[in-house]
Amino acid sequence: MKTDNSKIYILMDQEFTQFDLSKRKKFIKDLSVIAGCRTQQIENISFEQGCVICRCEMPKLAAEMVEYYFKRYKGLSEEDKTIPSNKEIIQFFEKRYKITQLHCSHCKLVIVKQLEKENDKNAIMFVHGWRGDEHSFGKLPEFLQNNTNCIPLIYKYPSGLWEQSPSIFELANGLETWIRDNHLSDKRRFAIIAHSMGGIIVRKVFANQLQRGEDKLDFFLKHITFVASPYTGVSLAKLGKIVPAIQKAQIQDLDADSSTLVDINSQWRSWLEMNLDLRRFIRSIYGTSDNIVSKSAATADDSQAVAILNADHTSIIKPKSIDEPIVETVTRFYRECELSVPT
């Protein structure tokens, strides 16, 4: 090795068998751009397995430049990443080569940026209503993932005429367990979209946080969107028009005179008072053609609730295209709360 050269070790999360000669040449060319040197000055190049490991040598000054960019990038906030001087490192190395580690022989180990694990990505959690399932939201999860780069997660619970009928309390406990056991990480923040009875379940989950210590879900929550969800309950007479048998425990909990609903709403209001910083990110959406949940029942907590014209109780959460109002409205909500931004 030349006395004025430094050794570089770069680890990439790439498939070694697919990192062919053309990709290797492109990598070295891009590396030279970052380092501010000619490709001919990058010597003794080797690529090894272990994902993809690149070892090479380059002038010490060039190696210091690479180190400088990676150190700067590691501590940047999302706002700082828009600074023009950092655009090249973002484009060339984070997105294209998925670099996770870098060593220079003249310095200590530099951790560039650990790859974002699936459980570290922000998420949108969908909670369906009575008689719903994982298909209730149609293409809405796909459309929102496209707009926000968040992972869609759907909580499916037993509900319907012929299935078991756990109570709202049991379903809320189940939802919280599902979130805590499978979908929490220190980096992840999440939003919830709750349709119909799903909104009551979600309100109960966060009402329960009042009894917790420092491990509240509140810390991870960025936004809740209630869609056609009955704050004040639903008349059993309305449900009787579409449901031949309404003796299920879940349906009894939905009734406007339900003591369960009264208790949940009381606890929910206490939770809101304890989380005033989140209050403006608790939003409601309703359909103007909804014959099940009225406007007043769906908007009690949101004076600026959004109306989706001509949407009924089920079509409101099943957009056929990405430019429909429900998609654009929720995308705007997530932009306002800074849940995520498109790539």
Side-chain angles (χ1 to χ4, degrees):
M1 182 177 75
K2 297 178 182 178
T3 57
D4 58 345
N5 270 11
S6 290
K7 290 183 179 180
I8 295 285
Y9 167 99
I10 299 174
L11 175 64
M12 295 169 274
D13 188 21
Q14 302 264 7
E15 287 289 339
F16 184 79
T17 55
Q18 297 181 14
F19 204 74
D20 57 21
L21 182 60
S22 64
K23 289 183 179 179
R24 296 179 186 189
K25 288 182 177 180
K26 179 62 176 171
F27 173 78
I28 295 300
K29 181 179 179 180
D30 290 345
L31 179 60
S32 71
V33 173
I34 300 303
C37 67
R38 300 190 306 274
T39 55
Q40 294 88 339
Q41 292 178 286
I42 302 177
E43 304 173 332
N44 298 324
I45 303 166
S46 67
F47 290 90
E48 306 167 10
Q49 283 186 300
C51 292
V52 175
I53 299 170
C54 175
R55 300 180 191 271
C56 60
E57 297 174 14
M58 66 175 64
K60 184 177 179 181
L61 189 60
E64 289 175 348
M65 184 61 70
V66 173
E67 177 193 0
Y68 166 75
Y69 273 121
F70 277 111
K71 278 186 174 178
R72 272 199 74 190
Y73 179 67
K74 181 186 175 185
L76 287 178
S77 66
E78 289 296 327
E79 291 77 11
D80 294 329
K81 290 175 187 175
T82 63
I83 297 173
S85 62
N86 293 291
K87 284 186 177 179
E88 288 185 331
I89 191 64
I90 295 170
Q91 177 183 356
F92 288 136
F93 283 81
E94 182 197 15
K95 292 185 178 179
R96 183 171 294 173
Y97 298 113
K98 301 180 181 178
I99 297 174
T100 59
Q101 293 183 21
L102 180 144
H103 294 265
C104 291
S105 60
H106 66 275
C107 66
K108 295 181 179 179
L109 169 67
V110 178
I111 300 297
V112 178
K113 181 181 179 184
Q114 295 297 336
L115 276 181
E116 193 173 38
K117 298 177 182 177
E118 198 73 0
N119 269 10
D120 287 341
K121 292 183 179 180
N122 287 347
I124 305 170
M125 301 180 180
F126 296 81
V127 185
H128 63 75
W130 192 68
R131 300 183 73 188
D133 57 27
E134 66 269 31
H135 305 296
S136 294
F137 294 93
K139 292 187 176 181
L140 182 59
E142 174 188 336
F143 292 152
L144 289 177
Q145 181 179 24
N146 182 78
N147 283 357
T148 67
N149 198 33
C150 292
I151 299 296
L153 303 168
I154 301 177
Y155 175 62
K156 184 182 183 303
Y157 59 88
S159 173
L161 291 175
W162 313 117
E163 296 188 65
Q164 296 177 349
S165 180
S167 68
I168 296 295
F169 292 96
E170 293 167 326
L171 293 175
N173 289 336
L175 173 56
E176 180 170 355
T177 299
W178 177 77
I179 294 173
R180 290 184 180 277
D181 287 354
N182 303 291
H183 304 300
L184 281 190
S185 76
D186 290 338
K187 294 183 179 180
R188 166 171 284 174
R189 299 297 177 266
F190 65 84
I192 294 178
I193 296 180
H195 177 239
S196 193
M197 187 178 78
I200 300 175
I201 297 169
V202 168
R203 292 204 296 278
K204 179 56 180 171
V205 166
F206 285 93
N208 288 344
Q209 304 311 299
L210 293 170
Q211 309 302 320
R212 286 190 169 271
E214 296 182 356
D215 64 337
K216 292 179 171 64
L217 290 179
D218 311 1
F219 175 77
F220 303 94
L221 179 68
K222 294 287 283 186
H223 198 283
I224 300 176
T225 305
F226 294 110
V227 184
S229 181
Y231 287 83
T232 56
V234 178
S235 167
L236 288 178
K238 285 187 176 181
L239 289 171
K241 293 179 181 179
I242 61 169
V243 181
I246 53 176
Q247 300 304 312
K248 294 283 186 176
Q250 295 166 3
I251 288 297
Q252 300 301 321
D253 288 343
L254 274 174
D255 183 40
D257 297 323
S258 164
S259 59
T260 297
L261 195 57
V262 171
D263 289 342
I264 291 173
N265 284 338
S266 175
Q267 296 165 3
W268 168 251
R269 285 190 291 270
S270 296
W271 181 84
L272 286 176
E273 292 174 1
M274 296 289 292
N275 291 274
L276 294 178
D277 56 326
L278 282 170
R279 182 65 187 85
R280 64 193 179 99
F281 298 129
I282 310 297
R283 301 301 309 275
S284 296
I285 298 175
Y286 67 96
T288 59
S289 298
D290 192 330
N291 294 320
I292 303 301
V293 178
S294 66
K295 174 183 176 181
S296 60
T299 63
D301 261 355
D302 187 357
S303 61
Q304 296 181 322
V306 177
I308 304 297
L309 301 180
N310 300 319
D312 61 29
H313 194 65
T314 56
S315 68
I316 192 170
I317 55 168
K318 283 192 172 183
K320 296 179 180 178
S321 66
I322 199 168
D323 58 355
E324 287 194 22
I326 185 73
V327 182
E328 294 182 338
T329 297
V330 176
T331 299
R332 171 170 59 83
F333 287 167
Y334 294 164
R335 186 167 59 247
E336 291 170 350
C337 75
E338 299 180 344
L339 177 73
S340 189
V341 294
T343 54

